[in-house]
Amino acid sequence: MQVVHTTAELRTALAGQTGTAFVPTMGNLHAGHVSLVELARQHGQLVIASIFVNPLQFGAGEDFERYPRTLDTDCEKLAAAGCDLVFAPDVTELYPVPQTFSVQPPDSLANDLCGAFRPGHFSGVATVVLKLFNLVQPRVAVFGKKDFQQLFVIRELVRQFNLPVEIVAGETLREPSGLALSSRNGYLSEAERIQASQLQTQLAALVAAIQSGERDFEALCHTASRHLKMAGWRVDYVALRDAETLQPPVSASSRLVALGAAWLGSTRLIDNLDFVLKNPS
Ligand code: PAF
């Protein structure tokens, strides 16, 4: 596996390559990322991963500085997963001049759900993903469903800018407790880690209630949120959306997603469960 750090080296390594599958990451990789690389393997002759902690998508007071940089162990994991090429630029390589042009998702998306609590986050994500797509020019790019709203933003970016890349979604991997694998789980104390699966448990209870016929979505989200708060979480949101539009469900909605974001101590966790409604109205 080759590791390159500059855009010039990347260009050389990619010369003449077509049919590439790309997995953008911020590093600090876990088994969930490895599964995305394995999925990419099924879609491309050449698998490329990027490792870049993108300052544009972190707000003031967020964990940009704290985010673990673990290039060597990340590369070991990527090599074992069958990755061919790693692009690991530093900030000045990707942003040699201040990034004054940016991709601005519509307010309805940028300021909704996680965006309401992380102003500018999805603009930062969309901007760096567009830059990475331009540099790597993949045929396929793989993103995890764990970041459901991010996946939605990227699909819209590709659709609305006619980018010649197919977006493939990888399933969320979970610990036996149900906790979704996340680089940020590493911030949790031992006690918090035991508690952390409560977010998934509450989302699963919400989904089960809907599948058994309950239709007061607002009340169900409120109940899930209340249970988390009673267990000591600081809840950003628990929401139910149409999984195709990310808008509140309408009577025609058939695939839904329950999403939540909440804090355990100083760690913000997100999770979601998408499902096909059993008895649509
Ligand atoms: O999901 C991530 O790791 C990041 O948001 C991404 C897509 C690599 C952009 O920085």
Side-chain angles (χ1 to χ4, degrees), residues 28 58 63-68 183-189 192-193 264 266-268:
N28 192 23
F58 289 80
D63 56 343
F64 175 68
E65 275 87 18
R66 183 188 179 203
Y67 197 91
S183 300
R184 289 184 168 102
N185 291 351
Y187 297 153
L188 298 168
S189 69
E192 287 170 341
R193 206 177 177 101
L264 259 187
S266 61
T267 306
R268 184 177 190 270

Side-chain angles (χ1 to χ4, degrees), residues 100-122:
T100 51
F101 280 55
S102 61
V103 179
Q104 185 55 55
D107 286 353
S108 58
L109 192 49
N111 300 335
D112 191 24
L113 300 170
C114 282
F117 299 89
R118 304 189 66 188
H121 172 68
F122 288 112

Side-chain angles (χ1 to χ4, degrees), residues 127-148:
T127 302
V128 81
V129 168
L130 180 61
K131 283 169 76 89
L132 290 168
F133 281 0
N134 285 334
L135 290 165
V136 174
Q137 305 202 347
R139 194 188 67 75
V140 170
V142 181
F143 293 86
K145 271 164 74 169
K146 155 96 179 358
D147 296 291
F148 199 88

Side-chain angles (χ1 to χ4, degrees), residues 12 19 71 76 80 82 86 104 107 113 129 140 147 172 186 194 271 280:
T12 306
L71 184 63
E76 282 166 23
V86 177
Q104 185 55 55
D107 286 353
L113 300 170
V129 168
V140 170
D147 296 291
T172 303
I194 294 167
D271 203 349

Side-chain angles (χ1 to χ4, degrees), residues 207 211 244 253-257 274-280:
V207 172
Q211 295 296 45
E244 312 290 345
S253 300
S254 58
R255 204 164 72 81
L256 303 184
V257 57
D274 63 327
F275 60 102
V276 176
L277 199 54
K278 265 191 198 149
N279 300 303

Side-chain angles (χ1 to χ4, degrees), residues 202-212 240 257-258 273-275:
Q202 286 307 323
L203 293 179
L206 199 164
V207 172
I210 293 170
Q211 295 296 45
S212 67
L240 188 80
V257 57
L273 295 173
D274 63 327
F275 60 102

